[in-house]
Every structure is written in C-alpha cells, then in structure tokens.
Amino acid sequence: MPTDTTPLIIVMDPDAVAAQATCSLLQERGFRTSSDGWNDPEALVTRLQGEGEDVAVAILGGSPDVISRSVEAIVKRFPAVVPIVLTAYGTVEEAVSIMRKGASDYLIRPVTPEHLVQSIDRAMTRSRLLSRSTSESDGDYGAMVGGDLRMHRVFEVARAVAGTPTTVLMTGESGTGKSMIARAIHQQSPRCDAPFVEISCGSIPETLLESELFGHVKGAFTGAHADKVGKFEAACGGTIFLDEINSAPPAMQMKLLRVLQERVVEPVGSNEPVSVDARVILATNQPLEELVAQGLFRQDLYYRIKVIDISLPPLRERDEDIITLSEHFLAKKGGELARRVIGIDPEACRVLRNYQWPGNVRELENVIERAVVLAGGPVIGVADLPDHLDRRPITSVSPGVQPSVDPELSLREAMEEPERRIILGALEYHDWNRQETAASLEINRTTLYKKMKRYGLDRRVA
C-alpha cells in the first residue's frame, strides 16, 4: 500500500474519466496518485507548485500543443519531475519532438498495464537520480548505482565490512569503480572523519614508490632536502587505498608485508620504526593468483591481503545498468556544469547499450560528461556521443560461432585494433593532450608515445 512518503504521480488529462481510470489502475499496483482534468500548461505549473517536492512523475494527456508546452514547462521549472505522455492519438514525429524536449516516454492508448508500469518505474528511477544533490564530492556513489545482482553483492559486502578494520582486496578491470567502493567503505566506517589516502602503485616510478608510501628523512638521497611523511603515516586513523597493487615491485611487496603484519613503517634513510594505524584497502586490475603462479607476486603477501575479496564485474557484463548509470552521471554532470540536460533519446540509448565499454564506468562517465557539454537541447542524441562508439547494432552470434574478422588481418593486428580505437578515442576526447590522455588511460606518457607511434596515431592525419 502506498504511504504519504511514497512519491506522487499526478495524472493530468482533459478527459477526467480517463485520468481517474489511470489513477485507479496505478493505485491497484501500489502507486500513490492524484488526478485532475486540465487543458492549460499554467494549471499544471500551479498544481506542481502546490504539491511541493512530492511529485515524481506527471502523466500528461491532451492535444499535442498543450502537451508540448507542458513538457517544456516541467523541464524548465521542475527538473526532478519526469513527464510521461499518455494520449489517444499521436504521430511518430510528435513523439520524437516531445521526447527530445524531455519526456521520459510517449505512450499511445490503448496501452497494457504492464507497459505503463514499466514506463513509470523508469521515470521514477530518473526522478530519484535528478533529485539527488549534484554537489556531492566524497559522497559520490556512482559505482553503486544499478540493478546487477553481482553489484548488489558487492554493495552488501562493502557495507558489512565497513565497520571493521579488516583488510579488503578488490579485483576488477580499470574503471570498474574500485576507488569508488573504497571511498564508500571508508565513509561508512568509524574512521570516516579521518583521512582517506589513495595512491596508485602503477603510476609512481619504483625508485620513488618507497618514499611515497613510507616517507623519508632529510638527506636520505639526493634531493631529500627535508623530512617527508609517507602515505601510511598520513592515513593514520583513517584508510589507505593502494590501487594497482599488482604493479608493486618485489622489494616493495616485502616491505608492505611487514607493514601489514607489524603495523610499523621505516622511512627511507631512517632506522627508527614509526607505528601506523591505517585501515588498508587494496585493488588490482590483474588476477593476483596468476601473478603468484608466475612468481611475480609474493604468495605470503597475497594470503595476507586476501581477507575480504571483492570482485567487480566489467560494465559490458552489466548491460541492464548502462542506462541507469548514464542517467546518474547525466544528473550529476548536468548540475556540475550548470547544463539543463535531463534525458537520453532512444537511439542514443541503443548506442550506449551496444558499445562494449573497455574503459568501464569511468569511460561511461566521461562520455556522458562530453555529451552534456555538447548537447544542443535538453536530451542527449546520437550526434552528442563520441565517434569511437560503435553505432552499428550488435548482431547475435550463435553458440560456438565466432564473429567474422577481416581475413587480411593477422591475429596480432586483430587483437591490437580495439586498443588502437580506445587510445584514439581518448586522444580525441582530451583534444590530443598526451598528459591528460595518459592519465585517463592509467598509463605513463612514455607508454602512450610508444603506442601512438606503433598505431600511427598523429593528429595531423587522424
């Protein structure tokens, strides 16, 4: 049964009987509704002002002109209210026009109850996302949006472990949200008021990594003009997040094992151990079991850090979450950039779903931010998406049958082509700024230069 705290759906239709019938149908399914006869956008505005912040969805009927002006009024003045059009007549052209102005759906009677409920559920999700504060910083839970069952399990484990000092190891491809989960664990822990310190082991040269983690004393090496506090000391009382721990060199792995076992660090150039009290969360973008088997990662360290193991699935395996995440980032970026973009048209949704997202959630966030900047209206269209997204629909492949490839390509060339596309897309997104591109791809600039040379990527000929 709906309660007073359940978001309200208002049904506005010049046919009061039809409006009441729609309300009755929705009330039977647990929604809280209100209906009224109308034929004036200003009446809708007055009604929404009177309802305060309770309204989540407005179902609109009537003439195309009144509906169009009403959708525009809602988008402009009530950004958290999501309009759905439910009319007895309409054309494809009118539907496209109104969807582009910000309507969540355009339904033509007769419509099945199941179809209507599904449309409302999607609109409710969008309303919740639009209602969230877009000024969140450390409270950003973008990676914790979605309905994938494996991600729900990740959320459950994160919440369960947050209140303990237990070491956590996360495994997943780059961009799947490991840093976001680490921050969420810290924020929900008793250590939330203390520092959260993050360091990527793969982005710091081996010669500097020890100093970054453990600090150094004045004169420890050339250029050490003063004492420096390491990341472990800086995180005392809070949480330290070691990303790409798979990149840590063997000598560093041994020292890290001692820190975890004895809770002390020795700054470079000092023989005096310093006690540290920091909750340790680690992440890897490669399976550590394989690295242990290859002799590239210490087995004793592996078993020391594998206390709570969280595995994050890649975005391409979370198909049902792609649009939900897109709408989350749309609401977030729209607020940050002061851009009134509130929806994604169906064709753009198809392109987003069909793309394989090698950069995972981070790449999706960047794509939506770009689209918000470039969108010429309140709805993102295909033209607002970057060129490297594959606009062709993905064709189904029978079990056991592999998709065809260009027979002229060697195996090495066929395997390198996706990487070339990713790098080219990142370069174009960052306007060929190599430093920003390397940072977004989580590789160093030297590696980027080599790959650009190998793939013949040059702005002058791209």
Side-chain angles (χ1 to χ4, degrees):
M1 291 294 293
T3 67
D4 290 341
T5 59
T6 304
L8 179 64
I9 300 172
I10 63 170
V11 183
M12 304 289 282
D13 195 303
D15 184 342
V17 174
Q20 185 55 51
T22 300
C23 284
S24 298
L25 184 152
L26 295 177
Q27 288 168 2
E28 291 174 0
R29 285 160 174 77
F31 294 103
R32 187 165 69 99
T33 67
S34 175
S35 68
D36 201 357
W38 74 303
N39 202 28
D40 180 5
E42 286 307 312
L44 172 63
V45 169
T46 301
R47 180 67 181 278
L48 290 173
Q49 289 174 333
E51 296 289 355
E53 299 180 355
D54 289 343
V55 180
V57 178
I59 300 178
L60 310 176
S63 69
D65 176 63
V66 171
I67 289 175
S68 177
R69 288 187 289 126
S70 299
V71 169
E72 289 178 337
I74 290 174
V75 170
K76 181 178 180 180
R77 303 179 64 172
F78 306 97
V81 177
V82 179
I84 294 175
V85 175
L86 179 59
T87 181
Y89 50 87
T91 66
V92 173
E93 291 76 14
E94 289 167 359
V96 171
S97 174
I98 289 176
M99 291 282 285
R100 287 192 178 278
K101 289 179 179 178
S104 174
D105 214 340
Y106 190 102
L107 307 176
I108 299 178
R109 299 180 189 274
V111 61
T112 65
E114 291 74 18
H115 191 178
L116 178 59
V117 169
Q118 289 173 0
S119 178
I120 292 172
D121 285 341
R122 289 193 297 268
M124 287 283 198
T125 298
R126 181 189 291 187
S127 177
R128 286 195 298 271
L129 294 172
L130 292 171
S131 297
R132 290 179 179 173
S133 170
T134 56
S135 61
E136 295 172 332
S137 53
D138 289 346
D140 186 349
Y141 294 95
M144 303 184 78
V145 173
D148 184 89
L149 292 178
R150 289 169 298 176
M151 288 305 297
H152 278 293
R153 177 57 181 161
V154 168
F155 307 156
E156 291 172 1
V157 174
R159 294 187 186 100
V161 77
T164 74
T166 305
T167 301
V168 177
L169 173 64
M170 291 186 288
T171 303
E173 296 178 7
S174 295
T176 49
K178 299 186 291 294
S179 176
M180 202 83 70
I181 299 296
R183 285 183 178 275
I185 291 173
H186 173 73
Q187 290 162 358
Q188 297 172 19
S189 76
R191 299 170 176 260
C192 60
D193 293 328
F196 175 86
V197 178
E198 179 175 352
I199 183 169
S200 175
C201 300
S203 64
I204 299 175
E206 181 177 344
T207 54
L208 298 179
L209 183 58
E210 182 177 1
S211 173
E212 284 294 317
L213 287 175
F214 309 135
H216 64 249
V217 298
K218 181 179 179 180
F221 49 83
T222 302
H225 301 302
D227 291 354
K228 176 180 178 178
V229 174
K231 300 297 186 183
F232 269 94
E233 275 193 84
C236 272
T239 302
I240 183 168
F241 174 49
L242 304 178
D243 198 6
E244 295 188 12
I245 190 61
N246 51 286
S247 300
M252 183 57 57
Q253 294 177 29
M254 182 175 64
K255 293 178 180 179
L256 180 58
L257 179 62
R258 182 189 176 193
V259 175
L260 294 173
Q261 289 175 338
E262 302 177 16
R263 296 293 170 177
V264 296
V265 299
E266 266 189 25
V268 178
S270 172
N271 294 321
E272 295 295 328
V274 177
S275 297
V276 292
D277 172 27
R279 200 264 183 78
V280 181
I281 302 177
L282 310 97
T284 172
N285 54 25
Q286 297 181 47
L288 291 186
E289 299 91 337
E290 296 179 6
L291 298 182
V292 170
Q294 297 167 18
L296 301 176
F297 198 85
R298 293 181 64 98
Q299 186 178 54
D300 49 1
L301 177 59
Y302 171 65
Y303 287 117
R304 183 65 185 80
I305 64 179
K306 189 180 170 67
V307 181
I308 299 294
D309 190 9
I310 298 177
S311 178
L312 277 69
L315 185 57
R316 63 181 173 274
E317 295 179 7
R318 299 168 55 192
D319 179 68
E320 65 184 75
D321 287 351
I322 291 173
I323 301 305
T324 302
L325 281 163
S326 297
E327 292 181 336
H328 165 80
F329 292 132
L330 177 63
K332 176 175 179 283
K333 298 300 179 182
E336 290 177 355
L337 302 172
R339 298 276 293 174
R340 193 173 292 278
V341 183
I342 65 165
I344 306 171
D345 76 21
E347 186 64 14
C349 286
R350 180 191 67 78
V351 172
L352 293 173
R353 286 196 185 97
N354 283 356
Y355 185 56
Q356 293 298 292
W357 299 108
N360 292 293
V361 178
R362 184 184 296 115
E363 182 184 10
L364 175 61
E365 181 174 10
N366 290 340
V367 165
I368 296 301
E369 179 176 357
R370 176 187 187 275
V372 168
V373 171
L374 297 180
V379 178
I380 291 173
V382 172
D384 304 319
L385 301 177
D387 293 339
H388 71 274
L389 267 65
D390 190 352
R391 289 173 169 78
R392 297 168 298 174
I394 296 177
T395 56
S396 60
V397 180
S398 301
V401 179
Q402 298 299 318
S404 61
V405 298
D406 185 345
E408 299 298 322
L409 293 178
S410 67
L411 177 61
R412 180 181 61 81
E413 291 170 332
M415 294 179 68
E416 288 180 344
E417 180 58 24
E419 182 177 60
R420 181 187 182 279
R421 287 176 52 199
I422 294 168
I423 294 173
L424 177 59
L427 284 164
E428 290 177 343
Y429 178 79
H430 293 287
D431 196 26
W432 292 80
N433 183 307
R434 297 182 181 184
Q435 183 173 349
E436 292 180 2
T437 299
S440 70
L441 294 173
E442 298 188 344
I443 58 178
N444 60 49
R445 282 180 293 176
T446 301
T447 301
L448 176 63
Y449 297 156
K450 290 179 180 178
K451 290 183 181 293
M452 289 176 65
K453 184 176 180 180
R454 181 197 308 169
Y455 297 139
L457 298 177
D458 189 315
R459 186 173 194 170
R460 292 168 296 179
V461 297

